[in-house]
Amino acid sequence: MSATVLVTGGAGYIGSHTTRQLVQAGFDLIVVDNLYSGHSWAVDPAARLFELDAGDAATIGKILRAHAPIAAVIHFAGYIVVPESVSDPIKYYRNNPIASTNLIQACRENGVQHFLFSSSAAVYGQPEHVPITEQATTAPINPYGRGKLITEWTLADVAHTTQINKGGDDRFEYMALRYFNVAGASPDAALGQATPEATHLVKVACEAACGKRNAVQIFGVDYPTPDGTCVRDYIHVEDLAAAHVLGLKYLLDGGTSTVLNCGYGHGFSVREVIDTVQRVSDVPFPVVETGRRSGDPAQLVADNARIKQQLGWSPQYDDLELICRTAFMWEQKLAARISRTG
Ligand code: UFG
């Protein structure tokens, strides 16, 4: 019998790609999503979708009991817009760390022993060195990053109590995956980022290439980087989804709790990303240089030695052109759908 896994946020961008890969890997999937930014069409048809908040511990508890045994919970659901977390911190603390604590409690009360959590490179804040290892200081600079770190700490503390108290049957092991800049879409253009009012660079540039925006702004050209614009480690969403499948197998095979960076280990500047989207789309959309956006570190690049070593993760899409091409193809598909439905 295949193991049953509950995925929160499985109708969202990263969650939908991961759900599809988990189904292909033979897992039985339950998806919990309130469809705040996710879409029911993005959920793999083999998964059962429950429309509710990930922080609704009472209902999640009922679902966990009704489908017991649940081998693991993978927790994607959460708000993701950093500037919004600065302007509305309570919204972010309530929906991210507080809801995550409720979910972890439901897991503990219903015998779930394995938990994978979507964390973020935002926990590092302004890094002292790049590439960033998992041992680097965590000093987040916004409520979004602080909320992610609170949940990492909650998981570590809960796992610790089960190690010192009991062991054996009551063990709780977790994995926190710290995502760098996730981008791209599935190569068959079946799935991709469908968030309205997106703020992420690759998506914004692809929207401009599709005529959905007039121009792309570059937020700051005076950073201490080779071309003056910020450098980020862009990771294709399918490679990130694959890291979750490997991470799940690691925990189910008895792996102990761990925190892993998810990135390729090299960065590209904002200008390089925009140039690449213009090249693959063949659309020379206008680019406007403006001032810095608050809270942007100059460089975020992962040291990925640990995930390669612990999970045997071997990226298949480590190519900025491929990331931008799949994102553009997806954006074209979305634009066609919107023009058809008005
Ligand atoms: N940028 C622009 N113009 C835009 C959009 C973005 O110049 O229209 C710049 C940003 O200023 C930044 C870079 O492009 O320098 C990347 O910005 P994104 O908004 O695409 O992504 P962030 O680096 O701000 O954040 C993302 C995730 C976080 C995660 C972080 C980790 O949203 O959750 O990557 O690397 F923590």
Side-chain angles (χ1 to χ4, degrees):
M1 205 183 75
S2 53
T4 303
V5 176
L6 185 144
V7 173
T8 74
Y13 173 43
I14 304 167
S16 63
H17 286 79
T18 305
T19 297
R20 186 163 80 151
Q21 285 197 24
L22 288 167
V23 167
Q24 286 163 359
F27 289 96
D28 172 38
L29 266 288
I30 294 171
V31 167
V32 166
D33 199 304
N34 64 6
L35 303 182
Y36 170 84
S37 57
H39 303 272
S40 54
W41 52 255
V43 178
D44 191 285
R48 281 160 288 178
L49 171 64
F50 291 88
E51 199 179 321
L52 77 146
D53 286 341
D56 178 350
T59 313
I60 300 262
K62 282 184 197 155
I63 294 171
L64 293 175
R65 286 190 292 280
H67 298 87
I70 300 287
V73 166
I74 307 183
H75 181 34
F76 293 100
Y79 295 149
I80 59 160
V81 180
V82 173
E84 189 187 32
S85 80
V86 176
S87 59
D88 195 350
I90 290 173
K91 173 176 175 175
Y92 273 67
Y93 284 115
R94 195 177 293 290
N95 192 58
N96 290 3
I98 293 175
S100 299
T101 302
N102 293 347
L103 178 66
I104 295 163
Q105 181 187 354
C107 289
R108 290 295 298 139
E109 288 172 355
N110 292 283
V112 176
Q113 293 187 296
H114 304 110
F115 196 100
L116 267 88
F117 173 57
S118 299
S119 190
S120 168
V123 300
Y124 295 117
Q126 303 274 1
E128 287 155 10
H129 306 284
V130 287
I132 310 166
T133 69
E134 290 84 352
Q135 291 91 350
T137 307
T138 46
I141 55 174
N142 49 57
Y144 170 76
R146 281 191 275 274
K148 290 289 181 188
L149 192 54
I150 288 169
T151 298
E152 283 197 18
W153 286 339
T154 308
L155 288 166
D157 289 341
V158 170
H160 182 65
T161 61
T162 71
Q163 283 151 15
I164 54 175
N165 290 344
K166 302 226 176 92
D169 286 353
D170 192 42
R171 286 295 284 266
F172 179 82
E173 303 289 352
Y174 76 95
M175 176 177 289
L177 294 174
R178 291 178 176 166
Y179 308 162
F180 283 66
N181 286 59
V182 190
S186 66
D188 63 1
L191 296 172
Q193 194 172 0
T195 331
E197 294 165 46
T199 57
H200 291 118
L201 179 62
V202 174
K203 170 104 180 149
V204 164
C206 289
E207 287 180 351
C210 288
K212 202 175 155 192
R213 290 174 190 258
N214 297 330
V216 174
Q217 292 183 303
I218 299 184
F219 299 137
V221 292
D222 58 349
Y223 284 96
T225 58
D227 68 13
T229 67
C230 289
V231 169
R232 295 287 183 273
D233 187 336
Y234 294 89
I235 170 175
H236 194 284
V237 64
E238 290 285 5
D239 277 333
L240 184 61
H244 289 77
V245 178
L246 292 170
L248 175 64
K249 289 179 177 167
Y250 163 93
L251 288 179
L252 298 183
D253 286 347
T256 52
S257 297
T258 188
V259 175
L260 302 173
N261 284 339
C262 296
Y264 290 145
H266 46 79
F268 292 97
S269 72
V270 173
R271 276 191 211 285
E272 286 174 311
V273 171
I274 292 174
D275 287 350
T276 308
V277 173
Q278 289 183 326
R279 194 168 55 250
V280 301
S281 64
D282 203 20
V283 180
F285 53 80
V287 177
V288 181
E289 293 179 4
T290 60
R292 292 184 177 195
R293 190 174 71 175
S294 91
D296 275 344
Q299 295 199 50
L300 282 175
V301 177
D303 180 317
N304 62 13
R306 191 192 274 184
I307 187 170
K308 286 182 164 168
Q309 187 263 323
Q310 278 197 348
L311 302 187
W313 182 64
S314 160
Q316 306 295 305
Y317 299 87
D318 180 359
D319 174 348
L320 185 63
E321 277 213 11
L322 184 57
I323 290 174
C324 294
R325 199 177 316 116
T326 54
F328 176 60
M329 279 163 44
W330 169 252
E331 208 55 55
Q332 284 180 305
K333 189 173 159 183
L334 269 188
R337 179 183 299 176
I338 289 163
S339 72
R340 268 202 315 276
T341 57

